[in-house]
Amino acid sequence: MKKVLIYKGFERFWHWTQSVLIIFLAITGFEIHGSFSFFGFENAVKYHNIAAVILIVLIIFAIFWHFTTGEWRQYLPTFENLRGQINFYLLGIFKGSPHPFKKTTLSKLNPLQRLTYLGLKLLVIPVMVTTGLLYLYYRYPQNTKIEALNIDSLAPIAILHTIGAFLLVAFIIAHLYLITTGESVTSNLNAMITGYENLHDEHNTEERSVNTENISESRV
Amino acid sequence: MKNILTGLLLFLIIVITGFLLLNTADTPKTTEALLTKYQEKRVTKADHSGFAQLNKKFNSPQEVTRECITCHNKRDEQVMNSSHWNWEREEYVPGKGIVYLGKKNAINNFCIAVGESELSCDKCHIGFEPAGTQRKFTDAENIDCLVCHDNSGTYSKGANMGGLPDPKLDLSEVAKSVGRPGRDNCGSCHFFGGGGNNVKHGDLEKSMLAPGSDIDVHMGTDKADMSCVDCHKTTDHKMAGKMYTLSSMNTDRSYCEDCHTSSPHENTVINEHSLKVACQTCHIPVYAKENYTKVFWDWSTAGKLKNGKPYIEEDSAGNDTYMSIKGSFIWKKNLEPEYIWFNGTATHYVSGEEIKDTTRPLVLNRLYGSYDDPDAKIVPVKIHRAKQPFDPVNRYLIQPKLFAQSIGEGALWKDFNWKEAAAKGMEYVNLPFSGEVSFLNTEMYLPVNHMVSKKEDALKCTDCHTRDNGRLAKLTGFYLPGRDYSGVVETAGAGLITLTLLGVLGHLGMRIYSSRKNRNAKV
């Protein structure tokens, strides 16, 4: 075991800022949606719009960071060991089996995480940003008098935005829970706060698949 | 430490960029400047009290008019081109083409039509048509200059005199006082439309002669103290701003934006509302603030007599609830307007038009507009509902003869006989009458433009952006954030979150349970 810097400074800053913003957007967003009243409608709209712009700027920085550091490769999907990961959450975890996936700095996301985060990055977040911007500016193309640019109804925009919001809230709930399923209950949380986590030595990575396959046998 | 500093710096950059991007609103034109402008006292350009030609005894009001025209020549032609004089306008109506529309031929939802009742109705015409003369609208001498320009506050038209002034008046004194029309000039007719104070409009009534700014922020004598013609700007006797009870075209209007610009708010989101929402919608949260306005008029009950005599019933607030001559009424005060889409064009029911569908109320002035119409905005309206006499055979509204000088001429208000009054009235407008009188539900839409409240009293977001019972609850067919949602998405979303929560809790429970079991097994 070795203490390794797994989440760099910007990554942690990006993660926490994004999490605060998304939770804040969810609260203000569902108030605008009419689900409850907390800040007051006018404030909710104002705060939601400001937080949205900050989040978009943050996303632009994050995209830049991912490409310049090559970290985007962390999200390349793999189906290898996907079943193993699912089995672990469904069965292994209750039996005290070891994690099927061994984190390394080059591959720090398990196959399920890779798929989920890729889905967020390629689908949910782009849909939220696009529908969010359309929500704010959909009326303006009408001034150009170009028929094709006219958006006649806010309904599809707003409803897509709502679907995305429900998905994100469900994601946050699952995510908050799943961070307790690391090596210890707090190890994942600690890693995202301090950046450091105790990882198995790099040369163990090659044995990863062997390990997974051996789980059931080792428990017998 | 270095990381924290870089993080903080980045955070600041992001926050500042965010605010800069959002703060692109136009600088609002300050209402303070407008307030100062209108609070300045106007100086009269010419003092007519010094003019010798007005300092004499006038035997008839026509003599005064002649005197006016000697100096103000050509003004008579302007007046005779105005709708105030002609009681009609040339209008283009989609589906109808060019029509001439006005009090002459439109049916209103109050006293129905002018018809043969000129002697009474003409007290709100800017002319003199004394008994026996045929109304021609061609004689410049019959223009009533004084009713609009009297500044002595004494001028008034006589009752049932066909527009002639009260004979007791000293016309010379009135003539010497003339000047810019004040609220009492406009108000002498427009506050009493429909046959009494505030009957018709709800937002135009005698309290507007000297209201507080809590009733009307523009006309409030403690604030801007503006008069009617400050907004209804007039050139060559043509006034901006008109009422859609009789207008059809989106022209010659008077807009809030003329003074306040189209982006008067500091909040961009609120300014953007002006694309779809008229200023009046938020800024006139209630109307008929001081006195009651008539919201329902049932002509069908008119004609009941007590001991052979007509009578009047009043409610506790002193409003007429029944009049033998006019029927039954409902009055309301501090009313929330109703809301409709309106693009500035309208069509009107005119005399003799066949009514095909009698199952729904007949709308006497249909205001056009919808969410999909880029020119339409949500506007507040007073909807005056009524039951009007209707010829079920010929399928058009009946214009009864209401007024006459004496009993026996067939007027409803003297003889209380519907059939006779209908026959007389329809004969006058040259329309066949079947002899049957039934009653039809009718509606008239009156946009509410006056009694603008102080900005603190304007509607709040959640007056409309709310799930239930919002101001716009009846205005459907478009997505209103905070009010509308997709039922499917809502159920599916709530289901997804519930399932996630249950899954998480179930998983957690099993983890705790199994870890205990495993621990026990080890021991």
Coordinates of all heavy atoms in Angstrom, one line a residue, chain A residues 9-10 12-13 17 32-34 41-42 49-50 53-54 57-58 61 89 93-96 135 138-140 152 154-155 158-159 163 166-167 169-170 173-174 177 180-181, chain B residues 3 7 10-11 14-15 18-19 21-22 267 269-270 272 275 371 461-462 465 467 479 481-482 484-486 489-490 493-494 496-497 500-501 504 507-508 510-511 514 518:
Chain A
G9 N -5.2 19.1 -7.3 CA -5.8 20.3 -6.8 C -7.0 20.8 -7.6 O -8.1 21.0 -7.0
F10 N -6.8 21.0 -8.9 CA -7.9 21.6 -9.7 C -9.1 20.6 -9.7 O -10.3 21.0 -9.6 CB -7.5 21.9 -11.1 CG -8.7 22.3 -12.0 CD1 -9.1 23.6 -11.9 CD2 -9.3 21.4 -12.8 CE1 -10.2 24.0 -12.6 CE2 -10.4 21.7 -13.5 CZ -10.9 23.0 -13.4
R12 N -10.1 18.5 -7.4 CA -10.9 18.6 -6.2 C -11.7 19.9 -6.2 O -12.8 19.9 -5.8 CB -9.9 18.5 -5.0 CG -9.5 17.1 -4.7 CD -8.5 17.0 -3.6 NE -7.2 17.4 -4.0 CZ -6.4 18.2 -3.3 NH1 -6.7 18.6 -2.1 NH2 -5.2 18.5 -3.8
F13 N -11.0 21.0 -6.6 CA -11.7 22.3 -6.6 C -12.9 22.2 -7.5 O -14.0 22.6 -7.2 CB -10.8 23.4 -7.1 CG -11.5 24.6 -7.6 CD1 -12.0 25.5 -6.6 CD2 -11.7 24.8 -8.9 CE1 -12.7 26.6 -7.1 CE2 -12.3 26.0 -9.3 CZ -12.8 26.8 -8.4
T17 N -16.8 22.4 -6.1 CA -17.5 23.6 -6.6 C -18.7 23.1 -7.4 O -19.9 23.6 -7.2 CB -16.6 24.5 -7.5 OG1 -15.4 24.7 -6.8 CG2 -17.3 25.8 -7.7
I32 N -38.3 27.1 -8.6 CA -38.9 27.8 -9.8 C -39.9 26.8 -10.4 O -41.0 27.3 -10.9 CB -37.8 28.1 -10.8 CG1 -36.8 29.1 -10.2 CG2 -38.4 28.6 -12.1 CD1 -35.5 29.2 -11.0
H33 N -39.7 25.5 -10.3 CA -40.6 24.5 -10.8 C -41.9 24.5 -10.1 O -42.9 24.0 -10.6 CB -39.9 23.2 -10.7 CG -40.6 22.0 -11.4 ND1 -40.9 22.1 -12.7 CD2 -41.1 20.8 -10.9 CE1 -41.5 21.0 -13.1 NE2 -41.6 20.2 -12.0
G34 N -41.9 25.1 -8.9 CA -43.2 25.2 -8.1 C -43.3 24.1 -7.1 O -44.4 23.9 -6.5
F41 N -39.6 33.2 -5.2 CA -39.5 32.9 -6.6 C -38.5 33.9 -7.3 O -37.6 33.4 -8.0 CB -40.9 33.1 -7.3 CG -40.9 32.5 -8.7 CD1 -41.2 31.2 -8.9 CD2 -40.6 33.3 -9.8 CE1 -41.3 30.6 -10.1 CE2 -40.7 32.8 -11.0 CZ -41.0 31.4 -11.2
E42 N -38.6 35.2 -7.0 CA -37.7 36.1 -7.7 C -36.3 35.8 -7.4 O -35.4 35.8 -8.3 CB -38.1 37.5 -7.4 CG -37.4 38.5 -8.2 CD -37.9 40.0 -8.1 OE1 -38.9 40.2 -7.4 OE2 -37.2 40.9 -8.6
N49 N -29.9 31.6 -12.1 CA -29.3 32.1 -13.3 C -27.8 32.4 -13.0 O -26.9 32.1 -13.8 CB -30.0 33.3 -13.8 CG -31.3 33.0 -14.4 OD1 -31.7 31.8 -14.5 ND2 -32.1 34.0 -14.7
I50 N -27.5 32.9 -11.8 CA -26.1 33.3 -11.5 C -25.3 32.0 -11.4 O -24.2 31.8 -12.0 CB -26.0 34.1 -10.3 CG1 -26.6 35.5 -10.6 CG2 -24.6 34.2 -9.8 CD1 -26.8 36.4 -9.3
V53 N -24.5 30.3 -14.7 CA -23.4 30.9 -15.4 C -22.1 30.5 -14.8 O -21.1 30.1 -15.5 CB -23.5 32.4 -15.5 CG1 -22.3 33.1 -16.1 CG2 -24.7 32.8 -16.3
I54 N -22.0 30.5 -13.5 CA -20.8 30.1 -12.8 C -20.4 28.6 -13.2 O -19.3 28.3 -13.5 CB -20.9 30.2 -11.3 CG1 -21.1 31.7 -10.9 CG2 -19.6 29.7 -10.6 CD1 -21.4 32.0 -9.5
V57 N -19.1 28.3 -16.7 CA -17.7 28.8 -16.7 C -16.8 27.7 -16.1 O -15.7 27.3 -16.7 CB -17.5 30.1 -16.0 CG1 -16.0 30.5 -15.9 CG2 -18.3 31.2 -16.6
L58 N -17.2 27.1 -15.0 CA -16.5 26.0 -14.4 C -16.3 24.8 -15.3 O -15.2 24.2 -15.5 CB -17.2 25.6 -13.1 CG -16.5 24.5 -12.3 CD1 -15.2 25.0 -11.7 CD2 -17.4 24.0 -11.2
F61 N -13.7 25.5 -17.9 CA -12.3 25.3 -17.3 C -12.1 23.8 -17.2 O -11.0 23.3 -17.5 CB -12.3 25.9 -15.9 CG -11.9 27.4 -16.0 CD1 -12.8 28.4 -16.0 CD2 -10.5 27.7 -15.9 CE1 -12.5 29.7 -16.1 CE2 -10.1 29.1 -16.0 CZ -11.1 30.0 -16.0
Y89 N -21.4 -4.9 -6.0 CA -22.4 -4.1 -5.3 C -23.6 -4.9 -4.9 O -24.2 -4.6 -3.8 CB -22.8 -2.9 -6.2 CG -21.8 -1.8 -6.2 CD1 -21.5 -1.2 -7.5 CD2 -21.2 -1.3 -5.1 CE1 -20.5 -0.2 -7.5 CE2 -20.3 -0.3 -5.1 CZ -19.9 0.3 -6.4 OH -19.0 1.3 -6.4
I93 N -20.2 -7.2 -1.7 CA -20.1 -6.2 -0.6 C -20.6 -6.7 0.7 O -20.2 -6.4 1.8 CB -20.7 -4.8 -1.0 CG1 -20.3 -3.7 -0.1 CG2 -22.2 -5.0 -1.2 CD1 -20.7 -2.3 -0.6
F94 N -21.7 -7.5 0.6 CA -22.3 -8.0 1.8 C -21.5 -9.2 2.4 O -21.6 -9.5 3.6 CB -23.7 -8.5 1.5 CG -24.6 -7.5 0.9 CD1 -25.2 -7.6 -0.3 CD2 -24.8 -6.3 1.6 CE1 -25.9 -6.6 -0.9 CE2 -25.6 -5.3 1.0 CZ -26.2 -5.5 -0.2
K95 N -20.7 -9.8 1.6 CA -19.9 -10.9 2.1 C -18.6 -10.4 2.6 O -17.7 -11.2 3.0 CB -19.7 -11.9 1.0 CG -21.0 -12.6 0.5 CD -20.7 -13.5 -0.7 CE -22.0 -13.9 -1.4 NZ -21.7 -14.4 -2.8
G96 N -18.2 -9.1 2.4 CA -17.0 -8.6 2.8 C -15.9 -8.9 1.7 O -14.7 -8.9 2.1
Y135 N -33.8 28.0 -22.3 CA -34.8 28.5 -21.3 C -34.6 30.0 -21.1 O -35.5 30.8 -21.1 CB -34.6 27.8 -20.0 CG -35.8 27.6 -19.2 CD1 -36.1 26.3 -18.6 CD2 -36.6 28.6 -18.8 CE1 -37.2 26.1 -17.9 CE2 -37.8 28.4 -18.1 CZ -38.0 27.2 -17.6 OH -39.1 27.0 -16.8
Y138 N -34.6 31.6 -25.4 CA -35.3 31.1 -26.5 C -36.1 32.1 -27.2 O -36.4 32.0 -28.4 CB -36.2 29.9 -26.1 CG -37.5 30.4 -25.4 CD1 -38.7 30.4 -26.0 CD2 -37.5 30.8 -24.1 CE1 -39.9 30.8 -25.4 CE2 -38.6 31.2 -23.4 CZ -39.8 31.2 -24.1 OH -41.0 31.7 -23.5
R139 N -36.4 33.2 -26.6 CA -37.3 34.2 -27.3 C -36.5 35.1 -28.3 O -37.1 35.7 -29.2 CB -37.9 35.2 -26.2 CG -38.5 34.6 -25.1 CD -38.8 35.6 -24.0 NE -38.9 35.1 -22.7 CZ -37.8 34.8 -21.9 NH1 -36.6 35.0 -22.4 NH2 -38.0 34.4 -20.7
Y140 N -35.2 35.1 -28.1 CA -34.4 36.1 -28.8 C -34.4 35.9 -30.3 O -34.4 36.8 -31.1 CB -33.0 36.4 -28.2 CG -33.2 37.2 -27.0 CD1 -33.3 36.5 -25.7 CD2 -33.4 38.5 -27.1 CE1 -33.5 37.3 -24.6 CE2 -33.7 39.3 -25.9 CZ -33.7 38.6 -24.7 OH -33.9 39.3 -23.5
D152 N -41.4 28.0 -30.6 CA -42.8 28.4 -30.3 C -43.2 28.2 -28.9 O -44.1 28.8 -28.4 CB -43.8 27.8 -31.3 CG -43.5 28.2 -32.7 OD1 -43.2 29.4 -32.9 OD2 -43.7 27.5 -33.7
L154 N -42.1 26.9 -24.9 CA -41.1 26.6 -23.8 C -41.2 25.2 -23.3 O -40.3 24.7 -22.7 CB -41.3 27.7 -22.7 CG -40.4 27.6 -21.5 CD1 -39.0 27.8 -21.9 CD2 -40.8 28.7 -20.5
A155 N -42.4 24.6 -23.6 CA -42.7 23.3 -22.9 C -41.6 22.2 -23.1 O -41.1 21.7 -22.1 CB -44.1 22.8 -23.4
A158 N -38.5 23.2 -21.1 CA -38.6 23.1 -19.7 C -38.8 21.7 -19.2 O -38.2 21.3 -18.2 CB -39.9 23.9 -19.3
I159 N -39.5 20.9 -20.0 CA -39.7 19.5 -19.5 C -38.4 18.7 -19.6 O -38.1 17.9 -18.7 CB -40.8 18.9 -20.3 CG1 -42.2 19.5 -19.9 CG2 -40.9 17.3 -20.1 CD1 -43.3 19.2 -20.8
I163 N -36.5 16.8 -16.6 CA -36.0 15.4 -16.6 C -34.6 15.3 -16.2 O -34.2 14.5 -15.3 CB -36.2 14.8 -18.0 CG1 -37.7 14.7 -18.4 CG2 -35.5 13.4 -18.1 CD1 -37.9 14.3 -19.8
F166 N -34.2 15.8 -12.4 CA -34.6 14.6 -11.6 C -33.4 13.6 -11.7 O -33.1 13.0 -10.7 CB -35.9 13.9 -12.2 CG -37.1 14.5 -11.7 CD1 -38.1 15.1 -12.5 CD2 -37.4 14.6 -10.3 CE1 -39.3 15.7 -12.0 CE2 -38.6 15.1 -9.8 CZ -39.5 15.7 -10.7
L167 N -32.9 13.4 -12.9 CA -31.7 12.4 -13.0 C -30.6 12.8 -12.1 O -29.9 12.0 -11.5 CB -31.3 12.3 -14.5 CG -32.3 11.6 -15.4 CD1 -31.8 11.7 -16.9 CD2 -32.4 10.1 -15.0
V169 N -30.6 14.7 -9.4 CA -30.9 14.5 -8.0 C -30.8 13.0 -7.6 O -30.1 12.7 -6.6 CB -32.3 15.0 -7.6 CG1 -32.7 14.6 -6.2 CG2 -32.4 16.5 -7.8
A170 N -31.3 12.1 -8.5 CA -31.1 10.7 -8.2 C -29.7 10.3 -8.2 O -29.2 9.6 -7.3 CB -31.9 9.9 -9.3
I173 N -28.0 11.4 -4.9 CA -28.3 10.5 -3.8 C -27.5 9.2 -3.9 O -26.9 8.8 -2.9 CB -29.9 10.1 -3.8 CG1 -30.7 11.4 -3.6 CG2 -30.2 9.1 -2.8 CD1 -32.2 11.2 -3.9
A174 N -27.5 8.6 -5.1 CA -26.7 7.3 -5.2 C -25.2 7.6 -5.0 O -24.6 6.8 -4.3 CB -27.0 6.8 -6.6
Y177 N -24.2 8.0 -1.4 CA -24.2 6.7 -0.7 C -23.0 5.9 -1.1 O -22.3 5.3 -0.3 CB -25.5 5.9 -1.0 CG -25.4 4.5 -0.4 CD1 -25.4 4.3 1.0 CD2 -25.3 3.4 -1.3 CE1 -25.3 3.1 1.5 CE2 -25.3 2.2 -0.7 CZ -25.2 2.0 0.6 OH -25.2 0.7 1.2
T180 N -19.4 5.8 0.3 CA -19.2 5.1 1.6 C -18.8 3.7 1.3 O -18.5 2.9 2.3 CB -20.4 5.1 2.5 OG1 -21.4 4.3 1.9 CG2 -20.9 6.5 2.7
T181 N -18.7 3.2 0.1 CA -18.4 1.8 -0.2 C -17.0 1.6 -0.6 O -16.6 0.6 -1.3 CB -19.3 1.3 -1.3 OG1 -19.1 2.0 -2.5 CG2 -20.8 1.4 -0.9
Chain B
N3 N -2.2 25.2 -3.5 CA -3.4 24.7 -4.2 C -4.6 25.5 -3.8 O -5.5 25.8 -4.6 CB -3.6 23.2 -3.8 CG -2.8 22.3 -4.7 OD1 -2.4 22.7 -5.7 ND2 -2.7 21.1 -4.2
G7 N -7.0 27.7 -6.1 CA -8.4 27.4 -6.1 C -9.2 28.6 -5.8 O -10.1 28.9 -6.6
L10 N -9.1 30.9 -8.9 CA -10.0 30.4 -9.9 C -11.5 30.7 -9.6 O -12.2 31.2 -10.4 CB -9.8 28.9 -10.1 CG -8.8 28.5 -11.2 CD1 -8.6 27.0 -11.1 CD2 -9.4 28.8 -12.5
F11 N -11.8 30.4 -8.4 CA -13.2 30.6 -7.9 C -13.6 32.1 -8.1 O -14.7 32.4 -8.7 CB -13.3 30.2 -6.4 CG -14.7 30.2 -6.0 CD1 -15.6 29.2 -6.3 CD2 -15.2 31.3 -5.2 CE1 -16.9 29.2 -5.9 CE2 -16.6 31.3 -4.8 CZ -17.4 30.2 -5.1
I14 N -14.2 32.9 -11.7 CA -15.4 32.3 -12.2 C -16.6 33.2 -11.7 O -17.5 33.5 -12.5 CB -15.6 30.9 -11.7 CG1 -14.5 30.0 -12.5 CG2 -17.0 30.3 -12.0 CD1 -14.4 28.6 -11.9
V15 N -16.6 33.5 -10.4 CA -17.7 34.3 -9.9 C -17.8 35.7 -10.6 O -18.9 36.1 -11.0 CB -17.5 34.5 -8.4 CG1 -18.6 35.5 -7.8 CG2 -17.7 33.2 -7.7
G18 N -19.1 35.4 -14.0 CA -20.6 35.1 -14.0 C -21.4 36.4 -13.8 O -22.3 36.6 -14.6
F19 N -21.0 37.2 -12.9 CA -21.7 38.4 -12.6 C -21.7 39.4 -13.8 O -22.6 40.0 -14.1 CB -21.3 39.1 -11.3 CG -22.0 38.6 -10.1 CD1 -21.4 37.6 -9.3 CD2 -23.3 39.0 -9.8 CE1 -22.1 37.1 -8.2 CE2 -24.0 38.5 -8.8 CZ -23.4 37.5 -7.9
L21 N -21.3 38.6 -16.9 CA -22.2 38.2 -18.0 C -23.7 38.5 -17.7 O -24.4 38.7 -18.6 CB -22.0 36.6 -18.1 CG -20.8 36.2 -19.0 CD1 -20.6 34.7 -18.9 CD2 -20.9 36.7 -20.4
L22 N -24.0 38.4 -16.4 CA -25.4 38.6 -16.1 C -25.9 40.1 -16.0 O -27.0 40.4 -16.1 CB -25.8 37.9 -14.8 CG -25.8 36.4 -15.0 CD1 -25.8 35.7 -13.6 CD2 -27.1 36.0 -15.7
N267 N -34.1 44.6 -13.2 CA -34.0 43.1 -13.4 C -34.3 42.7 -14.8 O -35.4 42.9 -15.3 CB -35.0 42.5 -12.4 CG -34.9 41.0 -12.4 OD1 -34.5 40.3 -13.4 ND2 -35.1 40.3 -11.3
V269 N -34.7 39.9 -16.2 CA -35.7 38.9 -16.4 C -37.1 39.5 -16.4 O -38.0 39.2 -17.2 CB -35.7 37.8 -15.3 CG1 -36.7 36.7 -15.5 CG2 -34.3 37.1 -15.3
I270 N -37.3 40.5 -15.6 CA -38.6 41.2 -15.5 C -38.8 42.0 -16.8 O -39.8 42.0 -17.4 CB -38.7 42.1 -14.3 CG1 -38.7 41.2 -13.0 CG2 -40.0 42.9 -14.3 CD1 -38.8 41.9 -11.7
E272 N -37.7 41.2 -19.7 CA -38.0 40.3 -20.7 C -39.5 39.9 -20.7 O -40.0 39.5 -21.8 CB -37.1 39.0 -20.6 CG -35.7 39.2 -21.0 CD -34.8 38.1 -20.7 OE1 -35.2 37.2 -19.9 OE2 -33.7 38.1 -21.2
L275 N -42.1 41.1 -23.5 CA -42.3 40.5 -24.8 C -43.7 39.8 -24.8 O -44.3 39.8 -25.9 CB -41.2 39.4 -25.1 CG -39.8 39.9 -25.5 CD1 -38.8 38.8 -25.4 CD2 -39.9 40.5 -26.9
Y371 N -51.1 33.1 -27.6 CA -49.7 32.9 -27.2 C -48.8 32.8 -28.4 O -47.7 33.4 -28.4 CB -49.5 31.6 -26.4 CG -48.1 31.3 -26.1 CD1 -47.4 32.0 -25.1 CD2 -47.4 30.3 -26.8 CE1 -46.1 31.7 -24.8 CE2 -46.1 30.0 -26.5 CZ -45.4 30.7 -25.6 OH -44.1 30.4 -25.3
C461 N -44.0 37.7 -8.4 CA -43.8 36.6 -9.3 C -44.9 35.5 -9.1 O -45.5 34.9 -10.0 CB -42.5 36.0 -9.1 SG -41.1 37.2 -9.2
T462 N -45.0 35.1 -7.8 CA -45.9 34.0 -7.5 C -47.4 34.2 -7.6 O -48.1 33.3 -7.4 CB -45.6 33.4 -6.1 OG1 -45.5 34.5 -5.2 CG2 -44.3 32.6 -6.0
H465 N -46.7 32.7 -11.2 CA -45.9 31.5 -11.2 C -46.1 30.7 -10.0 O -45.3 30.6 -9.1 CB -44.4 31.9 -11.3 CG -44.0 32.7 -12.5 ND1 -43.7 32.0 -13.7 CD2 -43.8 34.0 -12.8 CE1 -43.4 32.9 -14.6 NE2 -43.5 34.1 -14.1
R467 N -48.4 27.0 -8.7 CA -49.1 25.8 -9.1 C -50.6 26.0 -9.3 O -51.2 25.6 -10.3 CB -48.8 24.6 -8.2 CG -47.5 24.0 -8.4 CD -47.5 23.0 -9.6 NE -46.1 22.7 -10.0 CZ -45.4 21.6 -9.7 NH1 -45.9 20.7 -9.0 NH2 -44.2 21.5 -10.2
Y479 N -46.6 27.1 -21.8 CA -45.9 26.6 -20.6 C -45.5 27.8 -19.7 O -44.7 28.7 -20.1 CB -44.6 25.9 -21.0 CG -44.0 25.2 -19.8 CD1 -44.2 23.9 -19.5 CD2 -43.1 25.9 -19.0 CE1 -43.6 23.2 -18.4 CE2 -42.5 25.3 -17.9 CZ -42.8 24.0 -17.6 OH -42.2 23.3 -16.5
P481 N -43.6 28.7 -16.3 CA -42.8 28.1 -15.3 C -43.4 28.3 -13.9 O -43.9 29.4 -13.6 CB -41.4 28.9 -15.4 CG -41.4 29.3 -16.8 CD -42.8 29.6 -17.2
G482 N -43.3 27.3 -13.1 CA -43.9 27.4 -11.7 C -45.3 27.0 -11.7 O -45.8 26.6 -10.6
D484 N -46.8 25.2 -14.7 CA -47.0 24.0 -15.5 C -45.9 23.0 -15.3 O -44.8 23.3 -14.9 CB -47.0 24.5 -17.0 CG -48.3 25.3 -17.3 OD1 -49.3 25.1 -16.7 OD2 -48.1 26.3 -18.1
Y485 N -46.2 21.8 -15.7 CA -45.3 20.7 -15.6 C -45.9 19.5 -16.4 O -47.1 19.5 -16.7 CB -45.1 20.2 -14.1 CG -46.3 20.0 -13.4 CD1 -46.9 18.7 -13.4 CD2 -47.0 21.0 -12.7 CE1 -48.1 18.4 -12.7 CE2 -48.2 20.7 -12.0 CZ -48.7 19.5 -12.0 OH -49.9 19.2 -11.4
S486 N -45.0 18.5 -16.7 CA -45.5 17.3 -17.3 C -45.9 16.3 -16.3 O -45.0 15.9 -15.5 CB -44.4 16.8 -18.3 OG -44.6 15.4 -18.4
V489 N -43.5 13.2 -16.4 CA -42.2 13.5 -15.9 C -42.2 13.6 -14.4 O -41.3 13.1 -13.7 CB -41.6 14.7 -16.6 CG1 -40.3 15.1 -15.9 CG2 -41.4 14.5 -18.1
E490 N -43.2 14.3 -13.9 CA -43.3 14.5 -12.5 C -43.4 13.2 -11.7 O -42.7 12.9 -10.7 CB -44.5 15.4 -12.2 CG -44.3 16.4 -11.1 CD -43.3 17.5 -11.5 OE1 -42.8 17.5 -12.6 OE2 -43.0 18.3 -10.6
G493 N -40.2 11.1 -12.2 CA -39.1 11.7 -11.5 C -39.2 11.4 -10.0 O -38.2 11.0 -9.4
A494 N -40.4 11.6 -9.5 CA -40.6 11.3 -8.0 C -40.4 9.8 -7.8 O -39.8 9.4 -6.8 CB -42.0 11.7 -7.6
L496 N -38.4 7.8 -9.5 CA -36.9 7.5 -9.6 C -36.2 7.9 -8.3 O -35.4 7.1 -7.8 CB -36.3 8.3 -10.8 CG -34.8 8.3 -11.0 CD1 -34.4 6.9 -11.4 CD2 -34.3 9.3 -11.9
I497 N -36.6 9.1 -7.8 CA -35.9 9.5 -6.6 C -36.3 8.6 -5.4 O -35.5 8.2 -4.6 CB -36.3 11.0 -6.3 CG1 -35.5 11.8 -7.3 CG2 -35.9 11.4 -4.9 CD1 -35.8 13.3 -7.3
T500 N -34.4 5.3 -5.8 CA -33.0 5.5 -5.5 C -32.8 5.5 -4.0 O -32.0 4.9 -3.4 CB -32.5 6.8 -6.1 OG1 -32.9 6.9 -7.4 CG2 -31.0 6.9 -6.0
L501 N -33.7 6.3 -3.3 CA -33.6 6.4 -1.8 C -33.8 5.0 -1.2 O -33.1 4.6 -0.3 CB -34.7 7.4 -1.3 CG -34.2 8.9 -1.3 CD1 -35.4 9.7 -1.0 CD2 -33.1 9.1 -0.3
V504 N -30.9 2.8 -1.8 CA -29.7 3.2 -1.0 C -30.0 2.7 0.4 O -29.1 2.1 1.1 CB -29.6 4.7 -1.1 CG1 -28.7 5.2 0.1 CG2 -28.9 5.1 -2.4
H507 N -29.8 -1.1 0.6 CA -28.4 -1.6 0.5 C -27.7 -1.3 1.8 O -27.0 -2.2 2.3 CB -27.8 -0.8 -0.7 CG -26.6 -1.5 -1.2 ND1 -25.3 -1.2 -0.8 CD2 -26.5 -2.4 -2.2 CE1 -24.5 -1.9 -1.5 NE2 -25.1 -2.7 -2.4
L508 N -27.9 -0.1 2.4 CA -27.2 0.2 3.6 C -27.6 -0.7 4.7 O -26.8 -1.3 5.5 CB -27.6 1.7 4.0 CG -27.0 2.2 5.3 CD1 -25.5 2.4 5.2 CD2 -27.7 3.5 5.7
M510 N -28.7 -3.8 4.4 CA -28.1 -5.1 4.2 C -26.7 -5.1 4.6 O -26.1 -6.1 5.1 CB -28.4 -5.5 2.8 CG -29.8 -6.1 2.6 SD -30.2 -6.4 0.9 CE -29.1 -7.8 0.5
R511 N -26.0 -4.0 4.3 CA -24.5 -3.9 4.6 C -24.3 -4.0 6.1 O -23.4 -4.7 6.6 CB -24.0 -2.6 4.1 CG -23.3 -2.7 2.7 CD -23.0 -1.4 2.2 NE -21.7 -0.8 2.8 CZ -21.5 0.5 2.7 NH1 -22.3 1.3 2.0 NH2 -20.3 0.9 3.2
S514 N -25.2 -7.5 7.2 CA -24.2 -8.6 6.8 C -22.9 -8.4 7.5 O -22.2 -9.3 7.9 CB -24.1 -8.6 5.3 OG -23.6 -7.3 4.9
N518 N -21.1 -11.1 9.6 CA -19.8 -11.6 9.3 C -18.9 -11.5 10.5 O -18.1 -12.3 10.8 CB -19.2 -10.7 8.2 CG -19.8 -11.0 6.8 OD1 -20.5 -12.0 6.7 ND2 -19.6 -10.2 5.8

